[in-house]
Amino acid sequence: MTLWCPVWLAKVKKSPSEGQRTDRNEECHLSNSEPSKEFQKYTKEQIHGSSWKPLTLRPPLLLSIVAMTLAFIGLLEYLSHKSRIDGGIAVAEGQFSPAVSFAYKYLPIITAVLYSILWSWIDLDTKRLEPYFQLSRPMGADAADSIWLHYPFDFIAYVPLKALRRRHWAVVFAGTSTMLIFWGVTPLVSSIFAQSMVVVEFNTTARPTATLMALSDQSPALNTGFMLTAYGFIWLGQTLPGFVSSQGALEPFEVDMVQGQGFENKTWTAETTLYGTSANCNAAIIQNGTLGLSYSNGKECTTDPGYSPLRSPSSSRIGCPYIGYHMNQFIDYSLHEMGCPSPANSHLFLGLWGHSSKENASVDETAFFCEPSYWTQKVNATVKVPGMDVSEIIPQGPRITLPDSQFNRTAFEYNIGTGSQAVSRRADVSETINLIDQAAVLARIGLNGTFTNMVGFTLGLSSLDLTDLNDPVILTTAFENAHKLLHALAIRQLMSHNVGDVQHRSATSVGRANVVLVVRPLAIIVEALLGVVVVLVLALTIHSRTRISQLKGDPASLTDVVAMLSKEYGRGRDDSSSETRHKQLSARHRIVHGKILVVGTTYNNQLPQNIDVESEPSTENKISNVNSEKTVSLARPTAMGLPIGLVFIATLLATLCTMVVLKLYAEHNSGLPLPSRSTLVNQLVLNYVLIVVATFLEPFWLLLNRQLCVLQPFEELRQVKAKASRSLDLKYTSLPPQLILWRALCGRHYVLVAVCAIGLSANLLAISLSGLLEIKLSPVETNRNLSHPYEPLFSRIPLLPDDFSWKSDYEYIAKANITDRVSLPPWTSSDRFFVPFHFGIDSKLNQTERYRRITQGFGIQPLCQSIRFNDTAFVFGNENLFYTTQQTSTGNTVYCGGMSQAPYGGHTQSFAAAEVFQQLKPIDIRDPSSIAENATYTASEEDRLLCNSILVAGFVRANLAMSADESKTDNDDGRINTHVESINSISSLWMLCRPAILTAPYEVTVDQSGYVQSYAASGPYAEDLSPFFQNKSGPASLINTTSLMIPQASNVHPWWHNDTFADTWFAYYIKHLSNSTRFVDPTMPVPAYGDVVPYVENVCVRLFAIVLSLNQGWLAEAEAGSATPVTVISASERVFVSSPMFVITTALLVLNLVVAITYWARRPKRLLPEMPYTIASILAMVQASGLLAEVEDKGQWRHNWRFGYGKFVGTDGKPHVGIERRPFVVPLDI
């Protein structure tokens, strides 16, 4: 056993001559003596002198890494603090810009990847140069601790433990940092930032945009449109106009926006003026008189006996009159007419309530007088943008009485008391309607009869049981609340936008914005990991700074290693075979500095001889030694083995298939369920785990890359004709595999290029995986059995028009839907009515639930056609008949006519227009009077059903001469005594519509109240309607009844008008559906049939669906307890696979798969007895060749030399296997 001695114990004073051997065992022995002064001086020179160390292990770069890491920690802590204090680190008004999305989704992982690549360079240099640092130690190093080390090719998880056992501290520090960065920092960074919604507030200024108009303009401007708005709010669910609440109206304002314009759920808060009203109510004194009851306020108002609204004949047992001061033709009672005409009483109103337990019983009455007052108040108001819905009002001052010089309360009280406007003016029917019909909606709450507007508004707004109104306090409060609502709507109508110069006020804008948050627990973990990295890098810096290095350059290639060895070995070495030379060095023998590898100074040129070591087990692949019968096993890296390759390829294929399955499953099942309700857990599972997959994939590719980098020179040497630049001079192992792409491309080593590229793509894979899974709200479907109220069978249709109780609420519903975008009634779309499949669900736990089921839908096909009518008959009414001839199913001829009266006149000679929409009826053409409203002509039921199912629509333009100068100023049905004297010109368009019932199964989605969210036909229209009607005449009866109701939208009688206002609901609908006045403009030509028929059909179809929705009682009731399966759809957070990231991830996995298959298909063949991972293995390949003597001092070869790995006769005159130049080497026979 041969030992190597320290330099200071050597007795040789000068280097032996070439070929001379020295028996060091005879000249020195191991000693614990201290190094000589000569060697201490030499060591100090090696530490502080010109010895080489890589840039990556020098203090400037390492300290820069420390500073960079500390900057990351500081930045992360700053962002965490900002996220905690400000509610987020980035705010978006709506969706984030692409730049911001990139910054928080991908920039952190990109930064972490670049950081890890930089660190992998440091880690590689630390590991590959560790043997040289160990050999540079004054006392040398064991072979196992130096020339046999191969840290770069070990799995990164084992390196720190292996280095710790050997006390290779630099490798411990670098290897541990690598693991923390690869498997800790990089995956977690992508999960640190999460998107959420927070409330953000900005300070700004506001200015008023409208103010109360001048008193002189208020009375004409205050039409009855505000009461129709009240009807929509109370009964139809319509939202109030902007800046209006049920308690008052705000002076409108606008915020000067600088920021926050795109916020969701945005609100504005500013100081403004609130306009309100209060009622001073006192119980009335009820007095019995001989003529009846009288009511007194105890002052100047006592009603005349005999005026007892509660005693008037009525089928209702409940009475609730509202009696104001003013009187007109639309109401029956007023204080002015009941005995309180004094102007002092002009602002009083009398409220009454009466209830009788049974017919003809005495009535329990409650009566009170109220006098409203009007005021303004400075408030801080908060409104929701963009609708300006009032959400909060905070008083900022006292209430100040609103004087009569600023508000025309007389006009307002006239409107609400009489149901009509105080000063008539021309406008659309929606603004001039008189006495809104609330009979239908009041009947639903148990109150039958005809009542004034205020009664309906009071009862509808209170939402109380009728019996609760027996309490005087509750009743007076209900009337006062209705009064407040109507006043607020009236004030809003009286606002003028002519505000002039205004002063800006302070305001705030608050909204819910998208923000990027820092997940604090993950941030703490990353900061802690980076902190550990800082400590380890500082330790590495100090350790590297004090280490001895005898390197004069970077041993990056085989040539570099041979050049270093050449300085220590001459020719004529012993006859040991080169392939076993490195095995003869015992793992525990000391290699003294300068004995084997001396970098810079030569102390001895000899190798130890005759070291006995055990041979490694042979493998199945062997080559014969050139001078013996012994065989040597051929080596191949374990990772390059076919089993590992098959497992790796199978894993990639399984991962790819998993991605595809997840994508398909998420698309077909509305996403994947969340792993947890915890944000932290979701971030870890959805981001961290996936990135860990990529970070495990990258080290494996790096390992394959490094092995290929090591073997690539030998692949060139295999053919024994390689240039030095393509073999011995290749420097593939001195850089991280991600950074040698260009070198491999220049060397035309394309498999290596592919492996380098795929190693880099692992970083892209980590980035794509970080955004692969995303959380979104998605509908989740479950099945539930729900009771259904009706069957798709009409069994109770009124057979005669007289059976129908006239109701007008469908007109108001259509108006609210068409002009105000108010939802249609439950189970109704714009063209279909659907049979309900649930009674309505009251679920406070999940307000977003939706219900889907196939149910029967009913509608009509108008089947309109253009016809010609006698325009003269239309103008002059009964003087000529207005009819059309139809054939019954039995072949009989029937005459269907209409227009018993001509349009009413309203102006003098000029161009005029009239719009007609009527149901026809059977007439006797021999008797012109049969067309009259009160005609006694009796037709057969067949004739009646046929004619009543026909609707006629007409658009007439004429130049007429009227008999008087009196002009129509409003839209009431009062007769103006004018008639047409002559027709100068006339043109018209007429069409007949014969609606046919359509029914088909529909897949309908509704909310908890039955409002239709979506629908689609799931089957054809039924050709046989008998299964849906109990009687054979059911379809005709349904058409007859609905056709009778639909034309009422025209208010029966049209008017001649010379403006573009719509006098009838029919004209109003046409005007707003077309968003144009051309169909009602008398100066425009008669519309073409093709232009107007879509709108006429739309009106018919829409009104038919609304009528059915309001008369669901026509359907047969379902059996008690019957249930039907319904699909319940609820919104839930689900996990989705991002399509862009899926494409990128799939493409990268496919590339990984292709490169992996190519790699194992074209992997290097077995050539070497042992992998050239260590210094010893390289030494064994060149020790016996002449290269050690032929390499130039600067590690260069002659340009025309070619090299190979094969059989050669060494400098000792014996055959060897290793690296030699041509012509001294021949290929191996394998």
Side-chain angles (χ1 to χ4, degrees):
M1 175 169 146
T2 304
L3 299 176
W4 294 79
C5 300
V7 171
W8 56 88
L9 297 180
K11 297 180 179 180
V12 179
K13 302 303 181 183
K14 61 180 179 179
S15 300
S17 61
E18 182 178 343
Q20 179 181 355
R21 296 189 57 191
T22 301
D23 190 351
R24 298 193 182 104
N25 291 325
E26 299 176 357
E27 297 183 2
C28 67
H29 61 277
L30 291 176
S31 172
N32 294 325
S33 60
E34 294 294 328
S36 65
K37 293 182 179 180
E38 177 186 357
F39 187 79
Q40 291 177 356
K41 178 181 179 181
Y42 163 78
T43 302
K44 184 177 298 184
E45 290 175 353
Q46 296 305 308
I47 296 175
H48 302 288
S50 59
S51 61
W52 180 88
K53 288 182 182 178
L55 176 66
T56 54
L57 296 180
R58 294 180 182 178
L61 181 62
L62 292 175
L63 292 177
S64 298
I65 294 293
V66 171
M68 184 188 306
T69 308
L70 290 174
F72 287 156
I73 296 174
L75 177 62
L76 195 54
E77 186 62 26
Y78 167 75
L79 294 177
S80 298
H81 177 75
K82 180 177 177 62
S83 176
R84 188 169 56 254
I85 299 301
D86 298 341
I89 59 175
V91 181
E93 301 176 6
Q95 295 299 319
F96 284 109
S97 66
V100 175
S101 296
F102 173 82
Y104 87 88
K105 287 183 177 179
Y106 306 114
L107 184 59
I109 187 66
I110 291 174
T111 304
V113 166
L114 294 176
Y115 181 77
S116 66
I117 291 176
L118 176 61
W119 181 256
S120 65
W121 195 349
I122 299 172
D123 178 67
L124 176 63
D125 282 349
T126 303
K127 292 174 179 177
R128 73 182 180 89
L129 296 177
E130 183 62 24
Y132 299 98
F133 284 119
Q134 291 296 325
L135 292 170
S136 298
R137 294 171 58 190
M139 296 299 293
D142 292 344
D145 289 342
S146 56
I147 61 174
W148 282 1
L149 289 177
H150 47 78
Y151 285 134
F153 304 96
D154 292 333
F155 187 55
I156 62 174
Y158 303 152
V159 171
L161 296 177
K162 183 177 178 181
L164 184 62
R165 287 196 298 268
R166 299 178 183 276
R167 297 186 178 181
H168 295 168
W169 301 114
V171 179
V172 172
F173 300 147
T176 304
S177 298
T178 299
M179 284 199 306
L180 295 179
I181 293 171
F182 266 70
W183 293 335
V185 174
T186 301
L188 286 175
V189 158
S190 65
S191 306
I192 288 178
F193 302 103
Q195 182 178 341
S196 183
M197 296 285 292
V198 298
V199 176
V200 182
E201 179 176 326
F202 292 104
N203 293 323
T204 180
T205 57
R207 57 183 178 83
T209 57
T211 188
L212 203 60
M213 64 177 58
L215 186 68
S216 58
D217 299 330
Q218 291 181 14
S219 184
L222 191 62
N223 56 47
T224 57
F226 74 91
M227 288 190 285
L228 196 58
T229 302
Y231 178 93
F233 170 72
I234 295 172
W235 297 111
L236 305 180
Q238 180 179 340
T239 58
L240 290 173
F243 297 101
V244 174
S245 75
S246 58
Q247 298 301 308
L250 297 170
E251 187 176 74
F253 60 87
E254 184 178 50
V255 167
D256 302 316
M257 295 301 300
V258 178
Q259 293 176 298
Q261 295 187 24
F263 285 166
E264 296 182 14
N265 301 324
K266 184 169 59 179
T267 62
W268 291 346
T269 301
E271 183 181 284
T272 187
T273 302
L274 172 66
Y275 292 83
T277 181
S278 302
N280 181 21
C281 298
N282 296 286
I285 302 172
I286 304 176
Q287 299 175 340
N288 290 312
T290 56
L291 298 178
L293 296 177
S294 65
Y295 308 94
S296 172
N297 67 348
K299 299 179 181 178
E300 298 183 16
C301 180
T302 300
T303 62
D304 292 337
Y307 283 92
S308 183
L310 296 177
R311 307 281 178 157
S312 61
S314 174
S315 60
S316 175
R317 298 179 183 177
I318 298 176
C320 185
Y322 171 93
I323 303 173
Y325 176 79
H326 304 281
M327 182 69 180
N328 68 6
Q329 69 269 31
F330 300 108
I331 58 174
D332 297 325
Y333 302 99
S334 71
L335 293 180
H336 185 278
E337 300 296 325
M338 292 172 61
C340 302
S342 170
N345 303 319
S346 60
H347 300 296
L348 288 178
F349 70 84
L350 172 63
L352 301 173
W353 173 262
H355 178 264
S356 174
S357 59
K358 57 185 178 179
E359 294 290 347
N360 301 321
S362 60
V363 178
D364 296 327
E365 297 185 29
T366 300
F368 55 88
F369 282 93
C370 293
E371 182 173 6
S373 60
Y374 305 92
W375 44 265
T376 61
Q377 187 178 28
K378 293 297 181 183
V379 297
N380 262 350
T382 301
V383 296
K384 299 176 182 178
V385 181
M388 304 306 171
D389 301 328
V390 179
S391 61
E392 185 179 28
I393 297 176
I394 301 176
Q396 298 295 306
R399 293 179 176 179
I400 301 174
T401 300
L402 182 64
D404 291 345
S405 60
Q406 295 182 21
F407 175 59
N408 191 339
R409 59 174 179 167
T410 300
F412 166 67
E413 291 168 2
Y414 181 93
N415 277 19
I416 65 173
T418 65
S420 60
Q421 60 194 99
V423 177
S424 295
R425 68 180 181 88
R426 289 285 293 154
D428 281 341
V429 64
S430 63
E431 299 179 6
T432 57
I433 185 173
N434 294 310
L435 208 58
I436 298 172
D437 182 5
Q438 302 180 70
V441 290
L442 289 175
R444 296 185 196 125
I445 64 173
L447 190 62
N448 297 311
T450 302
F451 298 91
T452 59
N453 288 342
M454 277 296 293
V455 174
F457 297 151
T458 298
L459 299 181
L461 192 62
S462 66
S463 300
L464 298 173
D465 189 272
L466 291 178
T467 57
D468 294 334
L469 297 177
N470 287 325
D471 187 329
V473 175
I474 294 178
L475 183 61
T476 55
T477 301
F479 271 106
E480 184 179 16
N481 288 338
H483 198 268
K484 289 180 179 179
L485 174 64
L486 292 172
H487 171 258
L489 292 171
I491 290 291
R492 184 72 177 89
Q493 189 171 317
L494 294 176
M495 285 291 174
S496 169
H497 293 285
N498 185 18
V499 295
D501 295 332
V502 294
Q503 182 178 4
H504 288 248
R505 312 159 185 170
S506 61
T508 57
S509 176
V510 179
R512 287 178 59 84
N514 285 310
V515 297
V516 177
L517 299 173
V518 175
V519 181
R520 185 56 179 161
L522 296 182
I524 292 175
I525 295 174
V526 172
E527 290 177 17
L529 293 176
L530 290 175
V532 175
V533 170
V534 167
V535 174
L536 293 173
V537 176
L538 287 174
L540 178 62
T541 304
I542 297 171
H543 186 67
S544 298
R545 178 70 179 85
T546 58
R547 300 190 82 179
I548 298 172
S549 171
Q550 306 226 16
L551 293 170
K552 296 301 181 181
D554 187 2
S557 65
L558 291 174
T559 298
D560 295 330
V561 177
V562 171
M564 284 190 294
L565 294 174
S566 69
K567 298 178 183 179
E568 314 305 326
Y569 309 109
R571 305 178 193 278
R573 281 167 285 278
D574 71 322
D575 56 358
S576 298
S577 62
S578 62
E579 67 271 15
T580 59
R581 172 65 63 185
H582 67 287
K583 296 181 179 179
Q584 295 175 348
L585 303 177
S586 173
R588 301 310 301 168
H589 292 335
R590 307 290 292 177
I591 301 177
V592 181
H593 169 77
K595 301 306 180 183
I596 292 182
L597 296 179
V598 178
V599 184
T601 305
T602 301
Y603 286 91
N604 199 311
N605 288 339
Q606 300 301 315
L607 286 170
Q609 305 295 320
N610 303 322
I611 300 177
D612 297 325
V613 297
E614 295 182 1
S615 298
E616 295 183 358
S618 61
T619 64
E620 60 182 1
N621 295 294
K622 304 178 179 181
I623 59 172
S624 297
N625 189 284
V626 293
N627 63 343
S628 69
E629 296 181 356
K630 293 194 316 178
T631 59
V632 179
S633 302
L634 296 182
R636 173 180 281 162
T638 303
M640 283 189 177
L642 188 58
I644 296 295
L646 292 176
V647 171
F648 183 63
I649 291 172
T651 302
L652 287 176
L653 188 59
T655 304
L656 181 61
C657 293
T658 302
M659 294 293 103
V660 174
V661 170
L662 286 176
K663 177 67 173 176
L664 295 176
Y665 183 89
E667 288 182 350
H668 288 84
N669 294 274
S670 300
L672 306 169
L674 282 177
S676 170
R677 293 186 178 181
S678 168
T679 302
L680 175 62
V681 174
N682 289 335
Q683 290 289 93
L684 288 175
V685 174
L686 301 182
N687 296 100
Y688 179 77
V689 173
L690 292 177
I691 297 179
V692 165
V693 172
T695 53
F696 270 99
L697 185 64
E698 182 181 15
F700 187 73
W701 275 117
L702 295 184
L703 178 60
L704 297 177
N705 198 330
R706 284 172 180 167
Q707 291 174 346
L708 190 58
C709 288
V710 170
L711 293 177
Q712 192 63 55
F714 294 93
E715 279 295 288
E716 297 289 339
L717 293 169
R718 179 192 294 273
Q719 304 300 322
V720 194
K721 58 180 179 180
K723 294 181 179 180
S725 61
R726 291 182 56 82
S727 56
L728 299 182
D729 290 346
L730 290 177
K731 295 185 177 182
Y732 285 160
T733 58
S734 62
L735 288 176
Q738 304 99 320
L739 303 180
I740 62 173
L741 180 65
W742 178 251
R743 288 185 181 181
L745 189 62
C746 293
R748 290 178 292 180
H749 298 143
Y750 298 118
V751 175
L752 182 58
V753 170
V755 175
C756 292
I758 213 68
L760 280 172
S761 76
N763 299 311
L764 297 177
L765 184 62
I767 296 171
S768 67
L769 286 174
S770 69
L772 181 64
L773 300 180
E774 52 189 5
I775 300 176
K776 294 181 180 179
L777 277 177
S778 172
V780 179
E781 298 182 0
T782 57
N783 293 324
R784 188 186 305 172
N785 288 331
L786 298 177
S787 299
H788 58 282
Y790 300 108
E791 299 290 348
L793 177 66
F794 286 95
S795 62
R796 292 172 287 185
I797 304 173
L799 297 178
L800 298 173
D802 294 341
D803 296 335
F804 174 69
S805 177
W806 294 103
K807 301 171 183 177
S808 302
D809 50 348
Y810 66 93
E811 301 172 357
Y812 311 144
I813 292 171
K815 179 267 177 187
N817 175 249
I818 292 173
T819 62
D820 302 319
R821 301 296 185 264
V822 177
S823 298
L824 289 168
W827 308 103
T828 310
S829 71
S830 61
D831 60 349
R832 294 292 182 267
F833 164 73
F834 304 101
V835 177
F837 51 77
H838 71 65
F839 285 93
I841 299 169
D842 183 15
S843 174
K844 296 181 180 179
L845 297 178
N846 193 344
Q847 298 290 337
T848 61
E849 277 190 350
R850 299 293 181 264
Y851 306 88
R852 185 179 67 232
R853 184 182 183 273
I854 294 178
T855 187
Q856 202 69 21
F858 291 89
I860 58 170
Q861 185 177 8
L863 298 176
C864 297
Q865 61 181 354
S866 177
I867 61 170
R868 291 295 302 171
F869 270 162
N870 186 333
D871 292 333
T872 303
F874 169 74
V875 173
F876 292 105
N878 291 342
E879 295 181 8
N880 293 285
L881 289 180
F882 183 79
Y883 68 91
T884 178
T885 303
Q886 300 291 324
Q887 296 291 325
T888 66
S889 59
T890 59
N892 297 328
T893 300
V894 61
Y895 300 97
C896 303
M899 299 307 302
S900 60
Q901 292 190 30
Y904 297 133
H907 55 83
T908 57
Q909 178 176 341
S910 69
F911 288 99
E915 297 78 41
V916 181
F917 193 45
Q918 269 200 349
Q919 181 190 43
L920 299 185
K921 63 181 180 178
I923 62 171
D924 183 357
I925 61 172
R926 296 167 299 177
D927 181 10
S929 64
S930 65
I931 200 172
E933 294 182 16
N934 56 354
T936 59
Y937 174 70
T938 302
S940 66
E941 182 177 348
E942 183 183 26
D943 292 352
R944 184 185 61 80
L945 290 177
L946 175 60
C947 291
N948 287 165
S949 66
I950 300 175
L951 301 175
V952 60
F955 300 83
V956 185
R957 302 289 187 267
N959 189 339
L960 305 173
M962 298 292 183
S963 63
D965 293 336
E966 185 177 4
S967 296
K968 179 179 183 294
T969 56
D970 58 21
N971 294 356
D972 62 48
D973 285 340
R975 309 300 191 255
I976 297 178
N977 295 320
T978 60
H979 65 273
V980 178
E981 291 187 340
S982 63
I983 302 175
N984 298 326
S985 64
I986 191 168
S987 59
S988 63
L989 168 68
W990 295 95
M991 63 183 73
L992 286 181
C993 300
R994 296 190 60 178
I997 293 177
L998 299 176
T999 182
Y1002 288 81
E1003 185 178 69
V1004 184
T1005 302
V1006 298
D1007 65 7
Q1008 294 174 330
S1009 299
Y1011 288 99
V1012 176
Q1013 308 299 306
S1014 64
Y1015 64 98
S1018 61
Y1021 291 119
E1023 296 182 1
D1024 181 12
L1025 298 179
S1026 59
F1028 307 103
F1029 293 89
Q1030 195 172 57
N1031 301 317
K1032 184 178 296 185
S1033 60
S1037 297
L1038 182 61
I1039 289 293
N1040 171 56
T1041 302
T1042 54
S1043 296
L1044 177 64
M1045 298 170 67
I1046 290 174
Q1048 300 310 310
S1050 67
N1051 285 4
V1052 181
H1053 300 292
W1055 283 87
W1056 288 114
H1057 61 89
N1058 61 351
D1059 50 35
T1060 58
F1061 292 119
D1063 292 305
T1064 66
W1065 284 117
F1066 169 70
Y1068 180 87
Y1069 300 149
I1070 296 292
K1071 176 180 176 180
H1072 286 273
L1073 284 172
S1074 64
N1075 194 28
S1076 171
T1077 61
R1078 62 192 177 107
F1079 297 128
V1080 295
D1081 190 344
T1083 63
M1084 298 287 289
V1086 172
Y1089 172 79
D1091 292 340
V1092 73
V1093 71
Y1095 301 110
V1096 174
E1097 292 179 342
N1098 187 317
V1099 172
C1100 294
V1101 169
R1102 190 183 301 261
L1103 291 176
F1104 178 83
I1106 294 173
V1107 168
L1108 289 190
S1109 72
L1110 299 178
N1111 294 276
Q1112 296 179 21
W1114 295 351
L1115 292 169
E1117 294 183 359
E1119 294 183 6
S1122 60
T1124 184
V1126 174
T1127 300
V1128 181
I1129 307 168
S1130 57
S1132 176
E1133 284 189 330
R1134 304 277 286 182
V1135 179
F1136 287 85
V1137 179
S1138 169
S1139 294
M1141 292 299 104
F1142 173 77
V1143 172
I1144 296 174
T1145 302
T1146 303
L1148 291 175
L1149 288 175
V1150 169
L1151 287 176
N1152 273 262
L1153 191 60
V1154 171
V1155 173
I1157 294 173
T1158 304
Y1159 183 90
W1160 267 274
R1162 301 186 59 182
R1163 58 188 171 153
K1165 297 179 181 178
R1166 295 179 186 271
L1167 177 68
L1168 306 175
E1170 187 168 347
M1171 294 302 298
Y1173 293 159
T1174 63
I1175 299 173
S1177 61
I1178 297 174
L1179 174 60
M1181 295 178 189
V1182 299
Q1183 176 187 348
S1185 72
L1187 299 180
L1188 292 175
E1190 293 173 339
V1191 67
E1192 298 180 8
D1193 291 340
K1194 296 182 180 181
Q1196 298 178 349
W1197 309 98
R1198 295 183 183 179
H1199 177 71
N1200 60 342
W1201 283 2
R1202 299 294 182 269
F1203 302 88
Y1205 181 87
K1207 297 178 289 185
F1208 64 90
V1209 176
T1211 56
D1212 57 359
K1214 299 179 181 180
H1216 294 275
V1217 174
I1219 302 174
E1220 183 59 281
R1221 71 178 178 87
R1222 296 183 66 180
F1224 307 112
V1225 63
V1226 295
L1228 294 175
D1229 299 327
I1230 55 172

